[in-house]
Amino acid sequence: MTTPFRPPTTSAPPKLQIPTFHGLSSASASSSSISRNALTLPPSTRSLSLSLIRAVSTPAKAETATEKRSKVEIFKEQSNFIRYPLNEDMLTDAPNISEAATQLIKFHGSYQQYNREDRGSRNYSFMIRTKNPCGKVSNQLYLTMDDLADQFGIGTLRLTTRQTFQLHGVLKKDLKTVMATIIRNMGSTLGACGDLNRNVLAPAAPLVRKDYLFAQQTAENIAALLTPQSGFYYDIWVDGEKFLTSEPPEVVRARNDNSHGTNFPDSPEPIYGTQFLPRKFKIAVTVPTDNSVDILTNDIGVVVVTDDDGEPKGFNIYVGGGMGRTHRLETTFPRLAEPLGYVPKEDILYAVKAIVVTQRENGRRDDRKYSRLKYLISSWGIEKFRSVVEQYYGKKFEPFRELPEWEFKSYLGWHEQGDGKLFYGLHVDNGRIGGNMKKTLREVIEKYNLNVRITPNQNIILTDVRAAWKRPITTTLAQAGLLQPRFVDPLNITAMACPAFPLCPLAITEAERGIPNILKRIRAVFDKVGLKYNESVVVRITGCPNGCARPYMAELGLVGDGPNSYQLWLGGNKKQTSLARTFMDKVKLHDLEKVLEPLFYYWKQRRQSKESFGDFTNRMGFEKLKELVEKWEGPVVAPARHNLKLFADKETYEAMDELAKLQNKSAHQLAMEVIRSYVASNQNGKGE
């Protein structure tokens, strides 16, 4: 319930104090020490006149002593700010940690896993995920992660869809060594997992442009603002050693500001308190048109708004995106973010903090399936949500500024940075760097002392490359399979998959290990129905419905729903602005062609000019498409027609076709693989 206060003699409208969730007593902080004073105006904070504050009603909360909470909430409450019992479990000789510690170690950037394909006793290991705002990785950190993968992991590095590294296969006895090594080499894993703000995305392209530089700086400031402050991370992994980094003064001011009752004043965690957030929280920052970050899939999407001269003036803010769901539970769903409003550039940290606090205070803590921000906004509606956020922000949001259409940008290939240097975007299938590719990539990064960026599409960008290095770098990497984009199958360019089996405990079926063969089969279907090689669809595959590879934004999404079985989603678009919908359940892996052949055939036959596959499926309607699938008897193939574009004569084609059949491929597919392999092995590095 709201409690009005009587302001001193002033004509300003009264401000309502918001009732807040104060967290629960931890081992080191009593609830009595966590109090609020919504009237405190620290001198270092913004000078906001009370006349600018608008009273906003806040939904009353039921005050019950026995409010239901999930088990994870209890673990957080009793953890002494994410320390206990993880600190004690790390001292034992057991290969695994307790249930409570398994939840807490996520806040430190790690997940406990075991190989689900092993028989007998479980072989435990840990996945470690770094936190790299904007995907920025220094030369020193890259070489460190490369070394750690060989010394303590499974010999591979994985680039994630949130611009970070994942290191798999680390044993418990090596965890402290690995974590300390990352920390001491300009890296961090703090908050890469857990119920708090995750890695903040921004366009990975190192373009020397005002808007891009401002977006990246803003992403880094937001990441700093929402980084835990209580020191639990350093206590456990480097014995409390302090690794201080200078923070911009505006970040410190925004974090300490309690003008509108956002903070726990006497808590080691002024923003998070003892309970942190109800669930993970994801933020992305970008510039107009650049949707390389899948902006609408985030809890908060921040877009730089500039004037006619390209000077940043403020930000549009989206809220409420999220991918996770549960099969056959309609009350869970993927959701696109929607416009909240516009703020001047100097207010962005306060606005983001207000949104986070609104979720902290009102997000559900009883059932983790419904704890993401998207469910709060779906329940309240955007108007009510905006009103409550404005109370913590202290102002009304300005109207959303008009934006141009979004485009997906991969930044693959060679590009000019704008400062006389180049950057080189490299496609990495499923983000998995291993074998000769890993060895060669390291040699190049080490030899030329390059920094790198990780993209939200699991690719890697080499930055600050001198023009004279372009040819030798291109040649060296091509020989290791890191090809220029024109030599990569267009289907692979936009495809993504989550790790799934064998280590993910949530996986129902294959994703990363299965996608190479699935993409080959899709290419074969393209060939069969007469689609051109340069045509493509956005394919994303996950081993479960949690949506880590964002399949619900794909033109063709495959979501694991049983052993060797997928739920098919259709209707996303290449710009990543449209949500796909469920098309068919329980499609067995071996039956994929029965569904995909008619879909792709009729797309070719009935599409409008330049109509993408996703747009086609939405225009046709799912009922009609299902009817076409059910009646499918195969494509109508004109007699005596052969794909002779790659062949000198019919005899050569038929010989290649026989050889291809032995490999379960088409003649065209095999010929293209031969040509691409030849080009890669003879690459001379001469531009694109």
Side-chain angles (χ1 to χ4, degrees), residues 246-317:
S246 60
E247 289 183 325
E250 61 265 31
V251 172
V252 178
R253 283 197 299 270
R255 182 188 298 124
N256 293 335
D257 177 68
N258 197 29
S259 306
H260 307 290
T262 54
N263 288 17
F264 299 108
D266 301 314
S267 172
E269 293 291 353
I271 295 178
Y272 290 126
T274 62
Q275 300 303 111
F276 287 75
L277 298 179
R279 277 296 299 274
K280 59 187 174 184
F281 200 91
K282 297 180 177 181
I283 301 175
V285 184
T286 191
V287 302
T289 75
D290 189 335
N291 199 19
S292 59
V293 299
D294 276 9
I295 190 75
L296 300 179
T297 66
N298 290 270
D299 293 274
I300 302 177
V302 178
V303 186
V304 176
V305 175
T306 61
D307 61 19
D308 293 339
D309 297 324
E311 192 68 39
K313 291 299 182 184
F315 299 91
N316 276 343
I317 299 177

Side-chain angles (χ1 to χ4, degrees), residues 260-530:
H260 307 290
T262 54
N263 288 17
F264 299 108
D266 301 314
S267 172
E269 293 291 353
I271 295 178
Y272 290 126
T274 62
Q275 300 303 111
F276 287 75
L277 298 179
R279 277 296 299 274
K280 59 187 174 184
F281 200 91
K282 297 180 177 181
I283 301 175
V285 184
T286 191
V287 302
T289 75
D290 189 335
N291 199 19
S292 59
V293 299
D294 276 9
I295 190 75
L296 300 179
T297 66
N298 290 270
D299 293 274
I300 302 177
V302 178
V303 186
V304 176
V305 175
T306 61
D307 61 19
D308 293 339
D309 297 324
E311 192 68 39
K313 291 299 182 184
F315 299 91
N316 276 343
I317 299 177
Y318 292 95
V319 290
M323 293 286 96
R325 50 177 286 276
T326 301
H327 279 316
R328 283 163 284 284
L329 188 60
E330 297 302 318
T331 49
T332 65
F333 44 81
R335 187 180 192 275
L336 295 185
E338 58 185 304
L340 181 69
Y342 169 90
V343 298
K345 63 182 180 181
E346 61 271 13
D347 281 354
I348 186 59
L349 296 180
Y350 300 91
V352 166
K353 183 180 175 184
I355 296 167
V356 169
V357 170
T358 300
Q359 164 67 351
R360 181 195 75 195
E361 297 298 305
N362 298 283
R364 288 183 60 172
R365 294 180 182 267
D366 59 332
D367 189 335
R368 291 176 66 81
K369 289 193 300 294
Y370 304 105
S371 294
R372 290 289 299 276
L373 178 68
K374 63 181 179 181
Y375 294 115
L376 177 63
I377 295 176
S378 292
S379 171
W380 279 6
I382 191 65
E383 295 299 330
K384 180 176 178 178
F385 180 79
R386 183 185 293 113
S387 295
V388 177
V389 173
E390 286 173 341
Q391 182 75 6
Y392 287 117
Y393 174 42
K395 294 181 182 180
K396 291 285 188 181
F397 286 101
E398 296 180 35
F400 204 74
R401 302 300 196 256
E402 187 176 348
L403 293 173
E405 282 195 28
W406 292 106
E407 300 173 19
F408 169 74
K409 297 179 184 289
S410 70
Y411 294 111
L412 296 180
W414 286 103
H415 304 268
E416 293 185 358
Q417 290 183 175
D419 58 358
K421 295 182 179 179
L422 307 172
F423 70 88
Y424 190 22
L426 296 164
H427 172 74
V428 180
D429 278 336
N430 306 310
R432 183 69 68 180
I433 300 175
N436 190 41
M437 177 197 301
K438 178 173 174 291
K439 175 176 176 290
T440 306
L441 191 56
R442 183 205 172 93
E443 289 172 356
V444 168
I445 290 170
E446 193 167 27
K447 178 178 179 179
Y448 297 99
N449 194 32
L450 301 176
N451 297 321
V452 307
R453 305 262 180 110
I454 301 170
T455 82
N457 254 54
Q458 302 173 291
N459 297 320
I460 194 165
I461 292 175
L462 307 182
T463 71
D464 302 312
V465 180
R466 295 180 186 175
W469 301 342
K470 179 179 178 181
R471 179 178 295 184
I473 286 177
T474 306
T475 302
T476 301
L477 293 176
Q479 290 171 346
L482 286 159
L483 307 177
Q484 294 188 49
R486 70 175 182 270
F487 301 125
V488 179
D489 189 319
L491 284 169
N492 291 57
I493 292 289
T494 55
M496 290 200 297
C498 69
F501 283 135
L503 294 176
C504 179
L506 302 175
I508 303 171
T509 191
E510 298 284 3
E512 181 184 331
R513 295 193 306 192
I515 194 173
N517 185 55
I518 289 174
L519 291 176
K520 288 178 182 177
R521 290 168 63 184
I522 291 174
R523 175 57 64 194
V525 172
F526 269 37
D527 292 342
K528 184 174 182 179
V529 302

Side-chain angles (χ1 to χ4, degrees), residues 22-211:
H22 291 169
L24 297 160
S25 304
S26 74
S28 67
S30 67
S31 58
S32 62
S33 70
I34 303 174
S35 60
R36 292 287 182 85
N37 185 347
L39 307 182
T40 303
L41 283 167
S44 61
T45 61
R46 300 172 293 173
S47 56
L48 281 178
S49 165
L50 279 177
S51 63
L52 292 176
I53 299 172
R54 300 292 183 266
V56 184
S57 62
T58 306
K61 286 186 175 182
E63 296 180 1
T64 59
T66 57
E67 183 179 352
K68 183 182 177 184
R69 293 176 294 151
S70 70
K71 186 183 292 186
V72 176
E73 291 297 314
I74 307 298
F75 291 153
K76 288 187 287 187
E77 174 194 350
Q78 299 172 348
S79 71
N80 184 19
F81 292 97
I82 319 301
R83 291 176 175 87
Y84 174 82
L86 178 60
N87 52 356
E88 294 187 357
D89 284 14
M90 288 304 301
L91 300 177
T92 71
D93 293 330
N96 62 316
I97 55 179
S98 64
E99 182 184 5
T102 298
Q103 293 297 329
L104 299 180
I105 201 171
K106 296 177 184 179
F107 292 77
H108 297 257
S110 181
Y111 282 85
Q112 179 172 273
Q113 300 178 329
Y114 63 91
N115 192 324
R116 296 172 61 185
E117 294 177 342
D118 287 345
R119 295 294 176 260
S121 59
R122 292 182 175 179
N123 295 312
Y124 288 98
S125 67
F126 291 79
M127 179 271 280
I128 294 175
R129 181 185 297 150
T130 60
K131 196 170 184 182
N132 310 91
C134 315
K136 291 183 178 180
V137 180
S138 69
N139 178 271
Q140 179 181 344
L141 180 59
Y142 184 89
L143 299 178
T144 297
M145 295 301 297
D146 184 84
D147 287 336
L148 291 174
D150 291 338
Q151 295 173 22
F152 300 104
I154 59 174
T156 67
L157 281 172
R158 196 171 197 278
L159 313 177
T160 77
T161 59
R162 292 201 71 78
Q163 297 184 279
T164 65
F165 287 117
Q166 283 186 181
L167 189 63
H168 291 95
V170 178
L171 300 180
K172 180 190 163 191
K173 66 182 180 65
D174 297 322
L175 261 179
K176 189 167 184 176
T177 298
V178 173
M179 290 287 207
T181 302
I182 293 172
I183 293 168
R184 292 192 169 102
N185 285 275
M186 303 171 65
S188 177
T189 66
L190 173 58
C193 323
D195 298 344
L196 71 176
N197 179 53
R198 301 290 185 87
N199 196 52
V200 182
L201 303 188
L207 296 172
V208 183
R209 274 177 36 180
K210 287 181 181 179
D211 53 352

Side-chain angles (χ1 to χ4, degrees), residues 461-657:
I461 292 175
L462 307 182
T463 71
D464 302 312
V465 180
R466 295 180 186 175
W469 301 342
K470 179 179 178 181
R471 179 178 295 184
I473 286 177
T474 306
T475 302
T476 301
L477 293 176
Q479 290 171 346
L482 286 159
L483 307 177
Q484 294 188 49
R486 70 175 182 270
F487 301 125
V488 179
D489 189 319
L491 284 169
N492 291 57
I493 292 289
T494 55
M496 290 200 297
C498 69
F501 283 135
L503 294 176
C504 179
L506 302 175
I508 303 171
T509 191
E510 298 284 3
E512 181 184 331
R513 295 193 306 192
I515 194 173
N517 185 55
I518 289 174
L519 291 176
K520 288 178 182 177
R521 290 168 63 184
I522 291 174
R523 175 57 64 194
V525 172
F526 269 37
D527 292 342
K528 184 174 182 179
V529 302
L531 286 164
K532 296 178 181 178
Y533 178 76
N534 63 356
E535 297 191 90
S536 182
V537 298
V538 178
V539 180
R540 294 179 177 178
I541 303 177
T542 58
C544 84
N546 280 346
C548 292
R550 304 191 284 272
Y552 309 117
M553 302 296 288
E555 293 183 282
L556 172 61
L558 281 73
V559 180
D561 68 350
N564 295 313
S565 175
Y566 295 92
Q567 186 180 67
L568 298 191
W569 287 65
L570 303 176
N573 62 37
K574 296 181 186 299
K575 296 181 291 186
Q576 301 302 292
T577 58
S578 175
L579 199 63
R581 293 177 291 131
T582 311
F583 176 66
M584 197 170 287
D585 293 323
K586 297 288 184 183
V587 177
K588 290 297 182 182
L589 182 61
H590 60 264
D591 288 332
L592 273 180
E593 283 82 358
K594 294 179 181 178
V595 179
L596 298 185
E597 273 189 18
L599 292 178
F600 292 144
Y601 176 78
Y602 286 110
W603 174 42
K604 179 180 183 298
Q605 298 296 324
R606 300 186 182 182
R607 62 185 169 184
Q608 297 174 352
S609 177
K610 297 182 180 180
E611 187 175 38
S612 68
F613 179 68
D615 290 343
F616 165 78
T617 58
N618 286 326
R619 180 174 61 82
M620 290 290 290
F622 285 10
E623 290 305 316
K624 178 63 176 178
L625 291 176
K626 287 178 181 178
E627 180 184 328
L628 295 173
V629 169
E630 290 171 1
K631 295 180 178 179
W632 180 247
E633 295 181 355
V636 178
V637 180
R641 287 192 57 156
H642 301 279
N643 188 347
L644 300 179
K645 291 180 181 178
L646 296 175
F647 307 99
D649 51 57
K650 181 178 177 181
E651 288 72 24
T652 304
Y653 170 83
E654 291 175 344
M656 184 67 81
D657 190 45

Side-chain angles (χ1 to χ4, degrees), residues 7-14 50-51:
T9 55
T10 174
S11 58
L50 279 177
S51 63

